[in-house]
Amino acid sequence: MTDTSLAPLTPEAITALFTRADGQYLFARWGRPIVPVVFGVEDGTVSILKGAIEAVVALAGHKMAETDPELGANLMVFFLRDWDELTETPNLGRLIPDLAPLVARLQQADANQYRAFRFDQTGAIKAAFVFLRMDDALSQAPAETIALSQIVQTILLWSDTAFLGTSPLAILQPGGPAILKPAIADLIRAAYDPVLPAQATDLAHALRLAARLPRPQ
């Protein structure tokens, strides 16, 4: 991906990023400080992932905390070798309903990642669970790229089709580090404008986001 255009996203493009496969427009952002915890990797990778989280949270103008009063940690990232490990993880079934059927679907689809969100009474994100099965494709990607990609896709509730066939990241040169596409970075900033609601289902919300994007000089 080399699209680093400074042109802002159009209202139509923003609408598509939050319109789900069933046709529903659904936007949500975090309503509480993010408290991450990472399982299944060495300390060096944990530091890389938490560094990416801190950078994207700062970009959004949101906050992090040491603990969540309700959940302890509210952003849980699991690195796995096989999806079967999920059913072997103690108490995970309490957090992820219908865990066994989910594992079966992920195995059938040969998926290498899955994200699940939980919401508070206002519709804002209160927790997210990220599962990464380290297949050949993910194992060959730099840890920094994986970390940035995952937190970008978790900082907002994007459409389930938002990044199919594309990526929120760009690589400026072969073998070089990935960066967040400027248009997506601007959209994340706009999405956390405190004037806007933390959750929206109205298409007019996309117009409000578009109005907050910077315009090229």
Side-chain angles (χ1 to χ4, degrees), residues 144-189:
E144 293 83 359
T145 299
I146 295 173
L148 182 58
S149 174
Q150 293 305 317
I151 183 54
V152 167
Q153 293 182 80
T154 311
I155 194 70
L156 295 172
L157 180 68
W158 305 93
S159 161
D160 50 350
T161 62
F163 300 116
L164 294 179
T166 184
S167 171
L169 309 184
I171 298 176
L172 299 181
Q173 55 185 350
I179 65 167
L180 181 57
K181 289 179 179 177
I184 298 297
D186 289 338
L187 181 57
I188 291 172
R189 289 191 193 95

Side-chain angles (χ1 to χ4, degrees), residues 38-214:
V38 184
F39 303 95
V41 292
E42 298 177 351
D43 290 346
T45 303
V46 172
S47 298
I48 290 171
L49 189 68
K50 289 189 175 181
I53 294 171
E54 291 171 356
V56 174
V57 170
L59 166 73
H62 194 52
K63 297 179 180 179
M64 297 182 67
E66 291 296 322
T67 186
D68 181 276
E70 180 182 353
L71 302 169
N74 56 29
L75 172 54
M76 301 183 186
V77 183
F78 298 81
F79 287 81
L80 315 162
R81 292 183 298 274
D82 189 271
W83 289 121
D84 282 333
E85 295 179 34
L86 292 182
T87 56
E88 299 167 1
T89 302
N91 301 319
L92 188 59
R94 297 180 182 178
L95 299 174
I96 306 296
D98 301 320
L99 183 60
L102 171 63
V103 168
R105 292 197 302 271
L106 293 172
Q107 289 173 328
Q108 184 175 13
D110 195 29
N112 63 9
Q113 55 188 286
Y114 179 77
R115 284 172 293 278
F117 293 85
R118 298 290 177 268
F119 305 93
D120 63 21
Q121 293 181 343
T122 72
I125 300 170
K126 74 172 185 179
F129 308 91
V130 179
F131 303 101
L132 299 171
R133 180 177 67 86
M134 298 304 292
D135 62 0
D136 290 342
L138 281 182
S139 296
Q140 293 174 13
E144 293 83 359
T145 299
I146 295 173
L148 182 58
S149 174
Q150 293 305 317
I151 183 54
V152 167
Q153 293 182 80
T154 311
I155 194 70
L156 295 172
L157 180 68
W158 305 93
S159 161
D160 50 350
T161 62
F163 300 116
L164 294 179
T166 184
S167 171
L169 309 184
I171 298 176
L172 299 181
Q173 55 185 350
I179 65 167
L180 181 57
K181 289 179 179 177
I184 298 297
D186 289 338
L187 181 57
I188 291 172
R189 289 191 193 95
Y192 275 83
D193 185 329
V195 174
L196 295 179
Q199 188 260 11
T201 57
D202 189 334
L203 291 175
H205 176 262
L207 297 175
R208 299 180 71 186
L209 286 174
R212 286 162 171 77
L213 298 179

